[in-house]
Amino acid sequence: MIGIGSGLDGTLKESDSMNIPFFDGHNDTLLRLVDHARQDKAAMFIDGTTDGHIDLPRARSAGMAGGFFAMFPPPLATSLAGVAANPMGDGQLPPDLDLAPAQRSTFAMAALLYRLERLGALSVCRSVADIRSAIAAERMAAIFHIEGAEAIDPAFDSFEVLYAAGLRSIGITWSRANAFGTGVPFRHNADPEIGPGLSDAGKALVQLCNERNVLVDLSHLNAAGFRDVAAISTAPLVATHSNVHAICPSTRNLMDWQLAAIRESSGIVGLNYATGFLRPDGRFVADTPIELMVRHVDALIEAVGEDGVALGSDFDGAMVPADIGDVTGVPRLLQALMDKGYGETLVRKIALDNWLSLIERTIG
């Protein structure tokens, strides 16, 4: 594991943020690669690119130990580029997505993930022991995650197939409705109290995830669905890529009562880098200071505690601050936390250790 240096007083030295390994709670890199016109998408990741936020050379140079690699089935006839170009949409829920197209896109991303593993670019991990082994071998650790459960049928036959393939984390919804629950539309100056709670199939999915040690991700889920998960689940509550509603009043962010429930369950919130979920004005503009990210971290620590805050970038799925730019900018965020006075132990927790602890308590 990459070591962390410190000064004589035990605090991190200014240059030491470059030496801190970090684990990312959410990226859409697989979808960006699958959506790209280039034919050899695995080589694009392994050799490096001039677009997007994450590839292997940049991730290694930044100290990225691994992360949750999301498989998000996009809206019909809409590419990732189309979603990113208009992230707020019209403030309404996108149309539902049928099982067949959701499975096609999910299987394409899963196939790419396993091709990358065969080529030695990463290791698909099913436990915290797998993650630690991957880090020791200097291979990127990847958690198989689906964002929106549209690829799962209500009888859960496809769940069994996906689980056997390595699925260990599920976001019940993206920002649309499906057979299991309802997501939040992208709205600013609004709260997530929109739509009904989980369906009977959604409640059964939560119970199944608990039984099989699959993490349930609450990001994108509406308030009623959040309450249902909190009432049913025996596992820590997790929002892999969400921020603080009191700072940025977006439907995608967490209200005080949600943060309190996460803290009560010893769960985690991963800081989302998307500018529209950071800024009080909700604008998706690159000219967004890192200091605003630190402000959200401060508020998250106050709300959920030092053990409950981690990173959840949304890289390759959102506009991030220009001063971050891509994965190589994460050390600048960690440096900003140090400059704020965060000590070595806390920076390590936020960067890596809190995710490892949470994964051990949920996935195994």
Side-chain angles (χ1 to χ4, degrees), residues 177-223:
N178 60 30
F180 306 102
T182 301
V184 289
F186 294 109
R187 294 180 189 169
H188 189 251
N189 284 329
D191 63 41
E193 298 280 1
I194 298 168
L198 299 184
S199 66
D200 289 343
K203 295 174 182 178
L205 177 59
V206 173
Q207 293 172 330
L208 180 59
C209 287
N210 284 175
E211 293 167 7
R212 305 295 285 277
N213 295 331
V214 173
L215 184 150
V216 175
D217 180 14
L218 296 164
S219 295
H220 288 280
L221 189 62
N222 68 359

Side-chain angles (χ1 to χ4, degrees), residues 72 75 89-97 174-177 183-186:
F72 158 64
D90 59 2
Q92 304 301 313
L93 287 174
D96 297 357
L97 184 66
W174 178 64
S175 289
R176 60 182 164 220
V184 289
F186 294 109

Side-chain angles (χ1 to χ4, degrees), residues 46 56 60 114-123 138-140:
I46 293 169
L56 190 58
R60 283 177 169 165
Y114 277 101
R115 185 175 179 212
L116 290 170
E117 183 177 53
R118 288 195 304 274
L119 293 171
L122 50 77
S123 294
E138 298 185 349
R139 284 167 63 103
M140 184 176 293

Side-chain angles (χ1 to χ4, degrees), residues 24-364:
D24 185 37
H26 186 90
N27 70 68
D28 288 297
T29 301
L30 293 171
L31 180 57
R32 176 177 66 85
L33 293 170
V34 166
D35 196 52
H36 203 280
R38 180 168 165 176
Q39 186 171 2
D40 193 342
K41 303 174 192 308
M44 181 179 169
F45 179 79
I46 293 169
D47 297 337
T49 66
T50 58
D51 63 355
H53 293 144
I54 296 177
D55 56 39
L56 190 58
R58 284 182 287 172
R60 283 177 169 165
S61 71
M64 182 176 176
F68 289 72
F69 279 69
M71 298 172 202
F72 158 64
L76 286 172
T78 302
S79 67
L80 174 63
V83 175
N86 188 25
M88 301 304 289
D90 59 2
Q92 304 301 313
L93 287 174
D96 297 357
L97 184 66
D98 291 339
L99 179 66
Q103 288 185 341
R104 283 196 298 271
S105 59
T106 298
F107 294 165
M109 287 177 273
L112 177 57
L113 180 70
Y114 277 101
R115 185 175 179 212
L116 290 170
E117 183 177 53
R118 288 195 304 274
L119 293 171
L122 50 77
S123 294
V124 180
C125 298
R126 296 165 174 81
S127 68
V128 74
D130 288 349
I131 295 172
R132 294 189 188 279
S133 294
I135 293 172
E138 298 185 349
R139 284 167 63 103
M140 184 176 293
I143 298 290
F144 187 140
H145 170 80
I146 59 173
E147 182 179 27
E150 285 84 356
I152 296 176
D153 61 283
F156 302 125
D157 292 337
S158 52
F159 175 94
E160 296 296 342
V161 175
L162 290 166
Y163 182 85
L167 174 68
R168 291 298 182 272
S169 179
I170 294 176
I172 297 175
T173 64
W174 178 64
S175 289
R176 60 182 164 220
N178 60 30
F180 306 102
T182 301
V184 289
F186 294 109
R187 294 180 189 169
H188 189 251
N189 284 329
D191 63 41
E193 298 280 1
I194 298 168
L198 299 184
S199 66
D200 289 343
K203 295 174 182 178
L205 177 59
V206 173
Q207 293 172 330
L208 180 59
C209 287
N210 284 175
E211 293 167 7
R212 305 295 285 277
N213 295 331
V214 173
L215 184 150
V216 175
D217 180 14
L218 296 164
S219 295
H220 288 280
L221 189 62
N222 68 359
F226 185 106
R227 292 190 183 94
D228 285 339
V229 174
I232 296 166
S233 181
T234 58
L237 301 177
V238 179
T240 61
H241 57 304
S242 294
N243 292 333
V244 179
H245 190 275
I247 298 174
C248 172
S250 165
T251 52
R252 275 285 288 108
N253 286 338
L254 298 165
M255 302 185 70
D256 290 347
W257 66 267
Q258 292 174 301
L259 294 168
I262 291 170
R263 180 170 190 149
E264 179 67 23
S265 74
S266 298
I268 270 188
V269 179
L271 176 74
N272 191 322
Y273 304 176
T275 60
F277 308 143
L278 290 167
R279 298 173 60 94
D281 62 10
R283 295 172 61 210
F284 279 84
V285 293
D287 185 17
T288 297
I290 290 179
E291 287 73 17
L292 190 51
M293 303 173 76
V294 175
R295 182 181 171 194
H296 278 270
V297 173
D298 285 343
L300 286 171
I301 288 175
E302 182 176 353
V304 300
E306 293 185 358
D307 296 335
V309 184
L311 305 179
S313 68
D314 216 351
F315 276 146
D316 284 320
M319 176 181 287
V320 303
D323 287 343
I324 296 294
D326 60 23
V327 67
T328 62
V330 175
R332 289 191 283 276
L333 169 60
L334 301 180
Q335 184 65 54
L337 295 176
M338 291 183 237
D339 293 343
K340 184 69 183 291
Y342 285 41
E344 176 178 347
T345 298
L346 182 51
V347 172
R348 287 185 64 107
K349 282 183 174 183
I350 293 168
L352 176 68
D353 293 343
N354 284 345
W355 270 131
L356 295 187
S357 173
L358 186 282
I359 291 166
E360 186 170 27
R361 289 180 285 121
T362 53
I363 297 173

